């Protein structure tokens, strides 16, 4: 068989000569609709664009009209002229490898389009710059009807869309994005009740993703949803004095350097019911543990152990639910961290994994101690003290054993009583030998939280009665001064939960 040498032809500029093979518009767009956006993550991508455009106010509107429902997002940013809007509406107009400004939250040049297509079949963008307006739209039905698969970017809004844009034309600059034909949202059986639930989901997501833009800690935005201001959700409970935090530190060297800070949130007993429910976040306490990765103060990953661990990756478990670690990345590390198009996943470079492991291991260890022992910090003590627990655990040849601490103030008081000490010891042994460990573990796993004792929450008469009995015993029988007795109670479980009650115990109690 005669062999033939294949040569690559070149054009007049010395570049390889080949066939131009643009993708069919209808096929390409339908494929891009499956990138995995939710309504909340798609809207977050659009808020990114508003922030990058220097907006100070962003208003999102959900409007329910059945299958004709629509969603808009408007900002007061610097806007775009016709050429800039054309570039923004073009898919992949900017190379992801291009350098970007430090405050630019974009990367791939696809976010506006892919986020919008994932939710709606018609995308209209009106932008005003220097008082001049420009408007372009994509209509997926128009693309689908073209037999040649051409890319038809249409000028101006659909006539039925004009009233939905007119309220924004009075401002001198800004942009409004309009989603219509919400076929990925208003599906069969979708009702106004579902629409309201969706609004709540979006609000919680945006409150988390942009909390550092909403909390007043730096340059930020006012973000409103159907006229209601979105309140920030701080995953680290930074304002709570019981939250432990490490100093800010650097991880990595040279071009890979990032900033980190570890947090251990307070034990449940340090929070009221409302604060505890809010701190659990969108996914709940166990799911929200781990690393929080920010890029330009914008949250990308909300709780993940990033595949770290020794032997096997750490899982999210109850014991480490209080550990949350903040990582701040500059946007020139997108490729090294493998930031995806949706800006919802990241993977640390191999050179940083050992440092991140040590950082997380320390935070996890601290979180486990707080979860199990409720490390207690009380300003009246002048230092950090470990709460004396009622229960102790230790490993034996037959497995882990749980015992009541005989030196605990309430327990020792009874054991020292000549009339009852022997009987109390017998009762404690029965309790220790019959603890339903497996049942407690199963119910905690199923319920997503640990059991709540009667001494947690607001104190009642039984709490006050027990507290007074122990206090009088420490003063009258043990010879402690009132101040010393109060100090001991503040370091003793479960009285540490009621520091105000302890502080208000009378000082004029007599000592026999």
């Amino acid at each position: 068989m005669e062999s033939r040498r294949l040569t690559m032809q070149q054009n007049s500029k010395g570049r390889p000569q080949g066939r131009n093979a643009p993708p069919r518009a209808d096929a390409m767009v339908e494929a891009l609709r499956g990138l995995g956006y939710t309504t909340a993550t798609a809207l977050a991508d659009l808020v990114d664009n508003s922030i990058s455009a220097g907006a100070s106010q962003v208003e999102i509107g959900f409007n329910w009209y059945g299958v004709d429902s629509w969603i808009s997002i408007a900002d007061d940013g610097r806007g775009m002229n016709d050429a800039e809007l054309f570039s923004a509406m073009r898919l992949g107009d900017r190379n992801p490898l291009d350098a970007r400004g430090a405050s630019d939250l974009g990367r791939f040049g696809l976010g506006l389009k892919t986020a919008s297509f994932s939710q709606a079949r018609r995308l209209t963008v009106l932008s005003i710059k220097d008082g001049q307006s420009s408007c372009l739209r994509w209509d997926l039905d128009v693309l689908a009807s073209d037999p040649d698969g051409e890319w038809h970017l249409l000028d101006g809004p659909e006539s039925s869309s004009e009233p939905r844009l007119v309220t924004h034309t009075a401002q001198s600059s800004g942009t409004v994005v309009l989603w219509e034909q919400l076929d990925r949202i208003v599906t069969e059986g979708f009702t106004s009740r579902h629409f309201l639930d969706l609004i709540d989901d979006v609000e919680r997501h945006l409150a988390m993703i942009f909390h550092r833009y909403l909390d007043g800690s730096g340059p930020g935005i006012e973000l409103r949803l159907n006229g209601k201001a979105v309140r920030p959700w701080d995953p680290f409970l930074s304002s709570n004095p019981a939250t432990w935090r490490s100093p800010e530190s650097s991880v990595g060297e040279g071009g890979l350097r990032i900033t980190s800070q570890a947090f251990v949130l307070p034990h449940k007993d340090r929070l009221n019911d409302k604060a505890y429910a809010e701190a659990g976040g969108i996914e709940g306490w166990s799911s929200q543990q781990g690393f929080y990765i920010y890029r330009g103060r914008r949250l990308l990953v909300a709780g993940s152990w990033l595949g770290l661990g020794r032997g096997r990756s750490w899982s999210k478990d109850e014991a480490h639910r209080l550990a949350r670690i903040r990582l701040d990345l500059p946007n020139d590390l997108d490729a090294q961290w493998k930031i995806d198009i949706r800006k919802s996943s990241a993977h640390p470079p191999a050179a940083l994994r050992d440092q991140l492991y040590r950082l997380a291991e320390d935070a996890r260890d601290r979180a486990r101690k707080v979860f199990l022992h409720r490390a207690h910090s009380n300003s009246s003590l002048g230092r950090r003290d470990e709460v004396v627990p009622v229960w102790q655990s230790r490993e034996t040849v037959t497995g882990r054993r749980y015992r009541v601490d005989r030196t605990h103030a309430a327990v020792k008081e009874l054991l020292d009583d000549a009339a009852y000490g022997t009987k109390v010891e017998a009762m404690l042994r029965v309790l220790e030998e019959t603890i339903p460990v497996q049942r407690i573990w199963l119910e905690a796993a199923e319920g997503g939280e640990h059991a709540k004792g009667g001494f947690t929450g607001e104190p009642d008469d039984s709490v006050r009665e027990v507290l007074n009995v122990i206090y009088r015993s420490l003063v009258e029988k043990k010879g402690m001064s009132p101040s010393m007795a109060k100090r001991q109670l503040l370091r003793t479980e479960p009285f540490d939960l009621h520091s105000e009650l302890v502080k208000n115990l009378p000082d004029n109690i007599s000592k026999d």
Side-chain angles (χ1 to χ4, degrees):
M1 179 182 295
E2 182 181 354
S3 63
R4 291 189 293 177
R5 177 177 296 176
L6 299 180
T7 60
M8 181 176 292
Q9 298 181 357
Q10 296 181 333
N11 60 20
S12 59
K13 295 183 179 180
R15 297 172 182 168
Q17 182 68 48
R19 303 181 186 182
N20 185 29
R24 288 184 59 92
D26 53 347
M28 186 67 181
V29 169
E30 289 299 331
L32 290 174
R33 302 192 82 194
L35 282 177
Y37 283 97
T38 65
T39 305
T41 57
L43 285 169
D45 243 9
L46 269 58
V47 175
D48 287 343
N49 293 338
S50 296
I51 293 173
S52 296
S56 62
Q57 296 182 338
V58 181
E59 174 75 40
I60 300 174
F62 278 73
N63 301 270
W64 173 253
Y65 292 97
V67 295
D68 193 33
S69 299
W70 50 281
I71 298 173
S72 64
I73 175 169
D75 67 49
D76 63 350
R78 53 182 165 267
M80 295 172 281
N81 58 32
D82 192 68
E84 291 168 332
L85 178 58
F86 178 82
S87 175
M89 291 288 274
R90 184 180 180 187
L91 276 77
D93 185 74
R94 189 170 181 181
N95 192 321
L97 299 179
D98 290 348
R100 291 180 178 262
S103 61
D104 192 342
L105 299 182
R107 172 54 60 188
F108 296 95
L110 291 172
L112 168 64
K113 287 76 65 176
T114 55
S116 300
F117 294 158
S118 73
Q119 308 297 308
R121 295 194 65 79
R122 184 188 297 157
L123 164 64
T124 305
V125 180
L126 168 70
S127 197
I128 303 172
K129 185 173 185 177
D130 299 326
Q132 300 296 313
S133 65
S134 302
C135 185
L136 294 172
R137 80 179 188 272
W138 285 109
D139 191 319
L140 302 195
D141 290 336
V142 172
L143 299 184
S145 65
D146 189 310
D148 298 321
E150 296 290 336
W151 294 85
H152 298 285
L153 180 57
L154 306 174
D155 287 299
E158 181 76 20
S159 58
S160 61
S161 305
E162 290 184 13
R164 300 169 180 177
L165 297 169
V166 70
T167 56
H168 303 282
T169 56
Q171 59 191 50
S172 60
S173 68
T175 299
V176 56
V177 178
L178 179 64
W179 291 351
E180 299 173 294
Q181 299 180 5
L182 307 176
D183 65 323
R184 293 295 180 92
I185 298 175
V186 185
T187 55
E188 184 177 355
F190 193 90
T191 67
S192 59
R193 178 70 260 172
H194 297 125
F195 204 61
L196 292 174
D197 291 341
L198 177 62
I199 294 173
D200 290 340
D201 290 341
V202 168
E203 181 179 8
R204 286 192 292 268
H205 183 78
L206 298 181
M208 175 177 68
I209 297 299
F210 297 104
H211 75 94
R212 293 171 73 181
Y213 286 89
L214 302 172
D215 62 9
S217 61
I221 59 171
E222 180 184 353
L223 179 58
R224 304 185 72 84
L225 185 55
N226 280 11
K228 175 186 175 184
V230 177
R231 294 174 52 249
W233 177 76
D234 176 12
F236 311 113
L237 287 184
S238 303
S239 61
N240 192 306
T243 296
W244 176 88
R245 72 205 67 202
S246 71
E248 284 193 1
S249 61
S250 295
V251 175
E253 301 292 338
L256 290 180
R257 187 185 299 273
I258 62 174
T259 302
S260 69
Q261 187 173 22
F263 298 81
V264 176
L265 275 59
H267 190 277
K268 179 180 180 179
D269 294 337
R270 307 290 176 202
L271 304 171
N272 61 42
D273 290 342
K274 181 181 179 182
Y276 177 79
E278 289 181 352
I282 297 175
E283 301 294 336
W285 275 90
S286 292
S287 296
Q288 299 279 185
Q289 66 186 269
F291 286 97
Y292 284 68
I293 301 177
Y294 294 81
R295 174 179 176 270
R297 296 169 59 229
R298 193 266 202 203
L299 182 59
L300 301 181
V301 175
S304 170
W305 291 119
L306 303 179
L308 299 175
R310 289 288 187 257
R312 63 175 183 173
S313 300
W314 287 322
S315 60
K316 292 182 176 181
D317 54 38
E318 288 293 295
H320 303 100
R321 61 192 294 183
L322 304 179
R324 298 178 183 178
I325 305 169
R326 192 184 76 204
L327 299 180
D328 281 298
L329 279 58
N331 65 5
D332 58 0
L333 292 181
D334 288 355
Q336 291 87 337
W337 279 80
K338 300 180 178 62
I339 307 298
D340 68 345
I341 290 177
R342 293 180 294 124
K343 288 174 280 190
S344 61
S345 68
H347 304 276
L352 300 184
R353 292 181 69 86
D354 283 344
Q355 279 185 271
L356 294 175
Y357 171 83
R358 291 191 295 271
L359 176 66
E361 188 177 42
D362 178 70
R364 283 165 58 87
D365 181 61
R366 292 175 182 272
R368 187 175 188 276
K369 289 178 180 177
V370 173
F371 181 78
L372 294 178
H373 302 298
R374 303 205 311 248
H376 176 62
S377 179
N378 191 298
S379 58
S380 66
L381 298 176
R383 66 183 188 278
R384 189 176 181 87
D385 288 291
E386 188 79 11
V387 172
V388 177
V390 176
W391 289 92
Q392 297 176 323
S393 68
R394 61 187 179 90
E395 196 67 39
T396 70
V397 292
T398 58
R400 183 162 292 277
R401 309 289 292 179
Y402 297 87
R403 286 177 53 82
V404 173
D405 185 356
R406 270 44 173 191
T407 65
H408 186 279
V411 178
K412 193 172 188 307
E413 168 68 16
L414 291 172
L415 290 176
D416 288 346
D417 191 303
Y420 300 102
T422 303
K423 294 179 180 179
V424 171
E425 175 64 32
M427 180 191 69
L428 293 178
R429 292 298 303 276
V430 171
L431 291 175
E432 292 168 344
E433 296 301 326
T434 58
I435 299 172
V437 176
Q438 295 299 326
R439 179 178 176 180
I440 293 172
W441 176 86
L442 180 60
E443 291 178 351
E446 291 176 341
E449 61 179 49
H450 62 285
K452 186 173 181 178
F455 274 76
T456 59
E458 291 299 318
D460 56 20
D461 289 341
S462 64
V463 174
R464 292 183 175 88
E465 182 179 353
V466 173
L467 182 59
N468 277 299
V469 169
I470 302 302
Y471 177 59
R472 293 189 68 89
S473 175
L474 292 175
V475 175
E476 296 176 348
K477 296 184 179 181
K478 304 301 181 184
M480 292 185 182
S481 67
S483 61
M484 184 179 295
K486 290 179 182 181
R487 184 180 294 274
Q488 174 149 333
L489 288 171
L490 287 170
R491 295 197 300 264
T492 304
E493 184 185 36
F495 311 117
D496 60 298
L497 301 178
H498 303 290
S499 58
E500 288 303 315
L501 281 184
V502 174
K503 294 174 187 176
N504 291 327
L505 288 168
D507 290 329
N508 58 350
I509 185 172
S510 61
K511 294 188 288 182
D512 295 336

